[in-house]
């Protein structure tokens, strides 16, 4: 462990995190590294000595947001020249050669596989150096294998993100992730198991294993027979952890052993987030997803046949170059065919470095923004309708909920999720601090499309396997 540096003690960092849960986990790790160096954390950028942003490039909007923060911070730095500015994450990885010119004021740029280099960069920056860059992708080990002695700084003390595989080898034609995160690298099982044991000791009850293609876990190991199913089995043995989740699954990797592990292992929750992206075979092929709609439906049927009460969620993109009305309609139809519990949707956003981005630049099959907006509305309405149907049978049921804290909408209520990831807001007479982190029974009194309301059932009784889910996606 690196000793705290005296010249960094009493300094404060403000961290802004954009993007997916993996970025959230990366920010937690970076804050853990900075705390080891002596930094404190502030939630007020005006109090910070170090302003740090962890960026996302998945869509143009996310990228613009990152540069807008940096622009504002650069202006702040002109008034307070002692402030240091650091940029990390997916935009940093891609823009590493231009950022110092584009935003004068940025002192440090940290690539997605260089988190462990942060302390060195920060020490140098506060010693007066600037234009510090560490963004050499394609390391042999996962970032998290480089930082096994660091305790990430987690905001939530019940439920923890645990990254198990970084990068992606699929190269879907619309997606930046393989470029920003690099090739797939699985973290060693030993370091994952040790981290989860530590989390259990600290009182965490739930872990969510993260990866862009979490079910590819282990494919890059010398022994390719070790996969996600084996890891789930090992983690299921850890005392204190009550619930294990994983996201995001790729349809080509979600195999029978993983599905059977979810069904058989009591701590592994009945929820699969498995994006379909589009319901039409020609669009799927142009996206280079590697499966047909029928293959996707067969997989979902296997999931539902093997795992009782499973929640199935996913992602869709509308307005992919060349998508006709009829092709879009197949996406809409897939929502009910796959009986989706919920799904994230996005209008296609062209990304320069990808093949589909290049078609867009050549004006091949570009779908106008107003058509994308209209299709999004139609698809969201279909998802809401399907979600409503999936939620309705919970009325009058008793579900098991892991209590997370106060409901966001109503401070009088507590909130948590069922085994299959449906959000439950409920009334109780028990004080919040006594229930947070506990598994409780809730009698459902009202269902909405994406959540349910209920009353805490105090008497110990038998609980039917929890039905219930809100989308847990990477974005
Ligand atoms: N690895 C996951 C998805 C990761 S990216 C998978 O293969 O499904 C998260 C989501 O962002 C994707 O599921 C996709 O729906 C969306 N997305 C990715 N690139 C996009 C783009 N260029 N425009 C719009 N949405 C995009
Ligand atoms: Fe990889 Fe998913 Fe992006 Fe496809 S959409 S390239 S599988 S991260
Ligand atoms: Fe965004 Fe990078 Fe995650 S592009 S979605 S932060 S992997």
């Amino acid at each position: 462990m690196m000793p705290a540096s005296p010249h960094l003690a009493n300094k404060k960092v403000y961290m802004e995190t954009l993007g997916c849960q993996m970025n959230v986990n990366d920010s937690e790790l970076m804050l853990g590294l900075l705390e080891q160096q002596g930094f404190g954390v502030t939630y007020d950028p005006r109090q910070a000595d170090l302003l740090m942003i962890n960026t996302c490039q998945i869509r143009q909007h996310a990228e613009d947001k990152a540069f807008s923060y940096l622009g504002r911070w650069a202006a702040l730095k002109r008034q307070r020249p002692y402030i240091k500015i650091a940029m990390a994450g997916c935009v940093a990885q891609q823009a590493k050669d231009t950022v110092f010119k584009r935003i004068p004021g940025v002192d440090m740029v940290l690539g997605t596989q260089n988190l462990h280099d942060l302390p060195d960069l920060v020490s140098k920056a506060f010693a007066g150096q600037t234009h510090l860059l560490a963004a050499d992708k394609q390391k042999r080990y996962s970032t998290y294998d480089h930082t096994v002695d660091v305790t990430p700084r987690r905001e939530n003390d019940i439920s923890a993100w645990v990254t198990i595989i970084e990068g992606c080898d699929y190269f879907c034609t619309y997606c930046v992730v393989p470029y920003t995160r690099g090739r797939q690298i699985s973290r060693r099982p030993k370091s994952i198991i040790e981290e989860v044991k530590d989390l259990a000791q600290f009182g965490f009850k739930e872990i969510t294993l993260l990866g862009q293609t979490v079910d590819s876990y282990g494919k890059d190991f010398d022994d390719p027979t070790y996969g996600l199913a084996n890891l789930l089995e090992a983690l299921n043995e850890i005392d204190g952890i009550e619930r294990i989740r994983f996201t995001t699954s790729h349809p080509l990797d979600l195999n029978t052993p993983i599905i059977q592990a979810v069904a058989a292992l009591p701590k592994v929750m009945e929820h699969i987030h498995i994006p379909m992206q589009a319901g039409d075979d020609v669009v799927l092929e142009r996206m280079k997803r590697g499966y047909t709609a029928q293959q996707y439906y067969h997989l979902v049927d296997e999931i539902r046949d093997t795992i009782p009460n499973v929640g199935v969620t996913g992602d869709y993109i509308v307005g992919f170059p060349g998508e006709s009305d009829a092709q879009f309609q197949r996406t809409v139809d897939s929502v009910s065919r796959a009986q989706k519990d919920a799904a994230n949707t996005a209008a296609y956003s062209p990304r320069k470095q990808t093949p589909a981005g290049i078609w867009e630049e050549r004006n091949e099959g570009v779908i106008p923004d107003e058509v994308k907006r209209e299709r999004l509305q139609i698809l969201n309405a279909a998802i809401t309708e399907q979600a409503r149907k999936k939620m309705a049978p919970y009325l009058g049921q008793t579900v098991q909920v892991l209590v997370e804290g106060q409901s966001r909408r109503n401070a009088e209520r507590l909130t948590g999720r069922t085994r299959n990831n449906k959000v439950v807001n409920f009334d109780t007479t028990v004080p919040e601090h006594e229930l947070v982190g506990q598994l409780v029974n809730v009698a459902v009194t009202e269902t909405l499309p994406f959540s349910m309301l209920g009353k805490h059932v105090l008497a110990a009784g038998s609980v039917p396997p929890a039905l219930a889910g809100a989308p847990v996606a990477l974005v």
Side-chain angles (χ1 to χ4, degrees):
M1 187 197 284
M2 183 180 278
S5 321
H7 76 287
L8 298 176
N10 304 323
K11 295 217 183 295
K12 289 200 167 63
V13 53
Y14 171 87
M15 176 77 80
E16 186 68 47
T17 303
L18 309 176
C20 61
Q21 286 101 332
M22 191 171 286
N23 259 16
V24 173
N25 196 199
D26 285 351
S27 289
E28 292 170 343
L29 183 68
M30 289 191 281
L31 288 174
L33 283 159
L34 291 168
E35 278 186 333
Q36 271 191 359
Q37 276 187 297
F39 274 84
V41 173
T42 175
Y43 299 97
D44 179 358
R46 288 163 309 180
Q47 302 291 322
D49 304 279
L50 169 59
L51 290 167
M52 180 148 197
I53 185 159
N54 194 5
T55 57
C56 170
Q57 210 190 19
I58 203 80
R59 288 180 279 273
Q60 189 62 43
H61 178 68
E63 185 171 344
D64 293 346
K65 212 163 155 186
F67 282 108
S68 141
Y69 271 104
L70 285 169
R72 263 180 281 154
W73 290 354
L76 191 68
K77 190 174 176 175
R78 286 197 281 279
Q79 289 148 25
R80 303 180 203 185
Y82 60 88
I83 291 175
K84 307 293 173 201
I85 300 178
M87 181 186 191
C90 289
V91 182
Q93 182 66 51
Q94 288 286 89
K96 60 183 193 307
D97 300 322
T98 53
V99 125
F100 295 124
K101 250 202 186 139
R102 180 167 171 185
I103 315 270
V106 172
D107 298 288
M108 289 162 265
V109 171
L110 195 72
T112 49
Q113 292 177 28
N114 292 77
L115 305 191
H116 50 282
D117 293 320
L118 179 63
D120 179 47
L121 257 54
V122 166
S123 294
K124 286 180 177 153
F126 281 94
Q129 295 184 42
T130 187
H131 293 188
L132 296 152
L133 175 69
D136 45 342
K137 253 187 343 191
Q138 311 309 353
K139 291 254 160 63
R140 265 205 68 212
Y141 296 106
S142 109
T143 306
Y144 285 78
D145 278 331
H146 277 282
T147 49
V148 281
D149 57 348
V150 184
T151 307
R153 182 184 199 278
R154 294 182 160 95
E155 292 291 330
N156 180 317
D157 47 15
I158 299 302
S159 185
W161 307 115
V162 178
T163 298
I164 65 163
I165 174 168
E166 294 162 59
C168 177
D169 284 355
Y170 276 109
F171 291 90
C172 301
T173 52
Y174 51 82
C175 181
V176 288
V177 171
Y179 308 95
T180 63
R181 292 263 175 193
R183 303 308 292 265
Q184 179 177 303
I185 307 176
S186 298
R187 182 175 165 191
R188 308 280 127 184
K190 188 166 169 276
S191 100
I192 299 167
I193 292 165
E194 275 168 16
E195 180 174 12
V196 176
K197 282 185 178 159
D198 284 350
L199 287 167
Q201 293 234 307
F202 287 130
F204 283 86
K205 301 289 183 222
E206 179 178 69
I207 54 161
T208 303
L209 308 177
L210 295 180
Q212 285 297 344
T213 53
V214 71
D215 45 355
S216 294
Y217 178 75
K219 270 187 171 176
D220 51 314
F221 286 155
D222 294 338
D223 168 12
T225 60
Y226 192 93
L228 181 62
N230 308 78
L231 182 67
L232 291 171
E233 253 170 56
L235 298 175
N236 189 66
E237 297 300 311
I238 297 176
D239 286 340
I241 296 297
E242 313 252 13
R243 289 182 164 194
I244 302 168
R245 301 183 183 277
F246 57 90
T247 193
T248 297
S249 296
H250 191 288
L252 294 185
D253 290 315
L254 196 78
N255 55 22
T256 302
I258 299 174
I259 297 171
Q260 285 178 346
V262 177
L265 298 170
K267 293 183 183 174
V268 179
M269 296 297 102
E270 294 80 23
H271 172 224
I272 308 270
H273 185 79
I274 187 153
M276 187 181 193
Q277 308 298 4
D280 177 81
D281 288 347
V282 173
V283 176
L284 285 170
E285 197 178 335
R286 298 186 74 229
M287 288 178 160
K288 209 166 143 259
R289 288 294 287 179
Y291 51 84
T292 62
Q294 274 313 319
Q295 284 166 335
Y296 182 88
Y297 297 139
H298 280 313
L299 180 63
V300 172
D301 289 344
E302 182 186 349
I303 294 169
R304 291 200 193 283
D305 289 346
T306 316
I307 312 168
N309 297 324
V310 66
V312 177
T313 56
D315 304 345
Y316 288 108
I317 295 174
V318 306
F320 187 71
E323 184 189 62
S324 68
D325 282 337
Q327 288 169 335
F328 167 66
Q329 188 55 43
R330 279 184 203 110
T331 295
V332 177
D333 295 344
S334 78
V335 174
S336 54
R337 169 62 185 86
Q339 293 181 44
K340 285 279 158 73
D341 291 78
N344 302 312
T345 56
Y348 168 69
S349 170
R351 312 282 55 217
K352 272 202 182 64
Q353 54 280 75
T354 63
I358 294 163
W359 308 335
E360 188 95 3
E361 272 179 13
R362 293 200 211 119
N363 212 5
E364 288 173 22
V366 175
I367 307 293
D369 283 349
E370 61 274 17
V371 176
K372 286 183 187 166
R373 267 197 297 275
E374 198 186 330
R375 288 184 183 171
L376 260 187
Q377 277 178 6
I378 294 169
L379 182 60
N380 287 340
I383 292 167
T384 305
E385 190 43 40
Q386 178 60 36
R388 193 190 304 281
K389 278 191 199 147
K390 291 299 297 281
M391 200 67 93
Y394 289 91
L395 188 66
Q397 301 252 7
T398 299
V399 293
Q400 189 197 55
V401 174
L402 176 64
V403 183
E404 291 167 16
Q406 246 175 33
S407 155
R408 256 187 283 165
R409 292 244 177 96
N410 180 342
E412 305 283 292
R413 289 197 173 119
L414 297 185
T415 191
R417 280 167 299 146
T418 61
R419 292 181 64 94
N420 59 2
N421 211 37
K422 293 194 187 282
V423 171
V424 183
N425 298 309
F426 64 97
D427 294 310
T428 178
T429 49
V430 182
E432 178 188 346
H433 69 268
E434 284 180 30
L435 287 189
V436 169
Q438 304 294 318
L439 289 167
V440 301
N441 293 342
V442 173
V444 179
T445 53
E446 190 182 338
T447 61
L448 301 163
F450 300 108
S451 65
M452 50 188 126
L453 292 177
K455 284 205 169 72
H456 181 192
V457 182
L458 281 165
S462 65
V463 190
L467 312 168
V472 161
L474 279 169
V475 177

